[in-house]
Amino acid sequence: MVEGTEDGWQSTTGELSWRHWDDLSVVFCSDSGETHVLDPLTAWLLNLVVTRSVSFSQILAAAAELDLDVDTANTRKRLRGSLDRLVCLDLIEPAVEGT
């Protein structure tokens, strides 16, 4: 599982093209030429990380604004699972201090 540091995560991609259908989002990464199908939580996280490097604390604060119950272990596990998935897809990576 991706633990990340307090420095957080950052995008590894260039331009992304999005399409949304019902509860799914499809994102095309122009750098890799790959297309990925994402659930709503994972798509939301990618949108957040693409704009700036974020820490897990910042992710929790943003999730709380969406009325996600961030104090539960299940929600934190889902967030970390989505971050893991995005790292495995090479769409984000742990941020390096000073970047």
Side-chain angles (χ1 to χ4, degrees), residues 2-60:
V2 174
E3 289 302 319
T5 65
E6 192 53 34
D7 292 326
W9 291 268
Q10 62 190 12
S11 174
T12 61
T13 65
E15 186 176 336
L16 298 175
S17 298
W18 293 86
R19 297 291 181 265
H20 304 283
W21 289 278
D22 298 319
D23 285 342
L24 294 176
S25 294
V26 177
V27 63
F28 173 75
C29 177
S30 62
D31 290 351
S32 67
E34 294 180 346
T35 301
H36 308 284
V37 178
L38 306 176
D39 63 87
L41 183 63
T42 306
W44 173 79
L45 277 168
L46 180 57
N47 269 315
L48 185 66
V49 175
V50 163
T51 60
R52 61 187 168 94
S53 179
V54 293
S55 69
F56 196 66
S57 298
Q58 291 169 319
I59 291 170
L60 291 176

